[in-house]
Amino acid sequence: MNLTWMAWTMPTAIFFLVIAALLILMTILAIRYPETPRVGVLRIETTRGDRLFISLLGSAFICLAWLAAFGAPLWGGLILCLVYAAAVFRWV
Amino acid sequence: MDKPVNNKAWFLVLPVLVLVAFSAVIPLMTVVNYSVQDTFGNNVFFWAGLEWFEQALSSSRLHDALLRQILFSVIILAIQVPLGIFVALNMPKRGFWASLCLVLMALPLLIPWNVVGTIWQIFGRVDIGLLGYTLDKLGINYNYTANAIDAWVTVIVMDVWHWTSLVALLCYAGLQSIPDAYYQAAKIDQASRWKVFRYIELPKMQGVLLIAILLRFMDSFMIYTEPFVVTGGGPGNATTFLSIDLVKMAIGQFDLGPAAAFSIMYFLVIMLISWVFYTVMTNLDKREEMQ
């Protein structure tokens, strides 16, 4: 398959593969271990999927903030994102 | 304790997912790919890393466009929401005049964006436009092609003219759904007009009002056609909103990389705001169900 029209690069491919893998993982989890929504520190009902969405969206902004404050590379920002995601899954 | 939700029904929306993937997700992926590369055409790309993002984050041109965009959205919301509520409260409740009002209110909503732009572009001209000519004869120096304030006023009044009816119609629908018993109870308690509005009408309109604000915010935040037709983003850059700037960058200058980085950030902001609105709305619904 010719994918040059989409101008793929290895880093962006890895980025989307990670997101796809997370979505598949969430699907499997939802089938194997159905869950009830819970109310966390944001005082809204969230499921695992909601928490993943909040983590990803928040991470995007954390990375942008990191880029604005410290510039590339983003490794520090990425660590911060993982900490943030862990906190979201634990408390939100 | 709630029962676990069975999410298997979600598999039934897979066909839609495929369609959306084809029309939105895959193009979006391409944008992400462009945002980390540079091109001089011919489908040849060079790795640029995060350079475009850094550039966009520190670009005063984009900061200015963002500020203008926020200012525009805030101003039109501050005008359209109270005005829409006011119109809805004063519309006839039933009968011939109610139907006539509804049709008249719906008219501006049916006009395509670029036609609205053209109407106002001509309407505001001093030589042939009714508005421009009248203002000129009244001795007011009005020229939306040369004066930034005039251009802003024109674009805002145009948007108010185009979209206030949407807010009004949604609020009207919300008002119509209030049972008479509420008003009768208020009458027995001798509630003032303000109190009826504050404690009966406004809470009952809350749901539709939120939808109206969300729709108006999203539309105004992404506005392109009308200001583009009327002012073309000018005078200077005075009415260059985010999407006008984006199109200039992507198609005018053919800077695909920077434009892609910029549109991703634009998309993230819109997604965040939509999510906040969506969450607030669904939680309001749930709270109402529990009451």
Side-chain angles (χ1 to χ4, degrees):
Chain A
M1 196 159 65
N2 183 3
L3 279 177
T4 48
W5 62 273
M6 279 181 73
W8 279 104
T9 63
M10 192 46 96
T12 48
I14 293 172
F15 172 73
F16 281 114
L17 283 177
V18 169
I19 291 181
L22 281 171
L23 289 179
I24 292 169
L25 178 74
M26 282 292 158
T27 312
I28 295 171
L29 279 178
I31 296 169
R32 292 291 294 276
Y33 309 102
E35 54 161 349
T36 51
R38 68 155 194 240
V39 177
V41 284
L42 286 183
R43 303 176 54 88
I44 51 169
E45 276 193 356
T46 56
T47 61
R48 275 188 295 253
D50 294 325
R51 294 193 278 276
L52 178 69
F53 179 78
I54 297 170
S55 307
L56 288 177
L57 191 58
S59 299
F61 281 99
I62 291 174
C63 286
L64 285 178
W66 182 277
L67 212 53
F70 307 108
L74 270 179
W75 297 115
L78 196 63
I79 294 170
L80 208 61
C81 290
L82 288 175
V83 174
Y84 166 74
V88 167
F89 270 85
R90 175 71 187 78
W91 286 296
V92 171
Chain B
M1 188 68 197
D2 293 340
K3 231 175 87 184
V5 187
N6 186 346
N7 280 320
K8 278 182 193 146
W10 283 104
F11 283 122
L12 295 175
V13 294
L14 269 180
V16 178
L17 214 62
V18 172
L19 265 180
V20 173
F22 191 73
S23 66
V25 181
I26 292 175
L28 195 66
M29 284 174 163
T30 317
V31 173
V32 174
N33 292 339
Y34 285 172
S35 73
V36 290
Q37 298 179 86
D38 197 5
T39 182
F40 302 103
N42 267 341
N43 225 3
V44 182
F45 289 90
F46 305 94
W47 176 253
L50 296 166
E51 203 183 312
W52 304 134
F53 286 93
E54 287 183 79
Q55 200 186 70
L57 282 168
S58 58
S59 147
S60 58
R61 170 181 160 182
L62 291 189
H63 291 171
D64 291 350
L66 179 68
L67 281 180
R68 279 193 287 270
Q69 186 71 69
I70 293 171
L71 186 67
F72 177 74
S73 289
V74 168
I75 292 177
I76 65 117
L77 279 180
I79 297 175
Q80 289 178 7
V81 172
L83 189 62
I85 295 175
F86 179 77
V87 171
L89 286 174
N90 289 295
M91 268 165 75
K93 294 281 176 280
R94 48 188 69 87
F96 168 76
W97 292 107
S99 315
L100 184 75
C101 275
L102 285 175
V103 172
L104 284 180
M105 298 293 290
L107 272 181
L109 301 175
L110 299 175
I111 302 175
W113 285 261
N114 49 353
V115 177
V116 172
T118 315
I119 290 174
W120 281 81
Q121 208 253 5
I122 295 170
F123 189 44
R125 276 175 62 167
V126 176
D127 50 352
I128 54 169
L130 187 60
L131 175 71
Y133 185 80
T134 315
L135 287 177
D136 192 51
K137 286 292 162 213
L138 287 174
I140 298 165
N141 190 10
Y142 167 83
N143 184 349
Y144 65 82
T145 55
N147 185 322
I149 306 264
D150 291 353
W152 266 82
V153 170
T154 312
V155 172
I156 286 169
V157 172
M158 172 178 64
D159 201 79
V160 168
W161 175 83
H162 194 184
W163 289 111
T164 304
S165 356
L166 179 77
V167 182
L169 288 178
L170 281 169
C171 290
Y172 185 71
L175 282 174
Q176 291 289 67
S177 70
I178 304 174
D180 271 342
Y182 284 83
Y183 293 111
Q184 287 157 5
K187 215 173 226 173
I188 291 168
D189 289 344
Q190 291 188 326
S192 63
R193 182 72 194 88
W194 165 252
K195 288 220 160 125
V196 170
F197 173 70
R198 171 69 190 78
Y199 295 104
I200 296 174
E201 290 168 335
L202 200 57
K204 285 285 169 191
M205 276 195 291
Q206 199 178 30
V208 280
L209 212 49
L210 265 170
I211 294 174
I213 293 173
L214 174 66
L215 286 175
R216 282 316 303 132
F217 178 81
M218 302 319 309
D219 259 359
S220 66
F221 209 73
M222 297 188 286
I223 192 164
Y224 174 75
T225 318
E226 295 137 297
F228 181 74
V229 173
V230 175
T231 64
N237 273 333
T239 51
T240 301
F241 300 121
L242 281 177
S243 53
I244 294 181
D245 214 13
L246 181 61
V247 172
K248 263 187 199 166
M249 204 188 276
I251 297 169
Q253 301 158 225
F254 207 68
D255 282 335
L256 283 188
F262 172 33
S263 46
I264 288 172
M265 290 192 253
Y266 195 2
F267 172 67
L268 284 173
V269 170
I270 289 182
M271 194 137 94
L272 177 72
I273 296 164
S274 311
W275 177 77
V276 169
F277 268 108
Y278 174 77
T279 314
V280 170
M281 266 174 351
T282 43
N283 276 285
L284 272 179
D285 282 350
K286 269 179 202 150
R287 223 165 283 165
E288 254 173 38
E289 268 169 32
M290 275 154 78
Q291 276 170 5

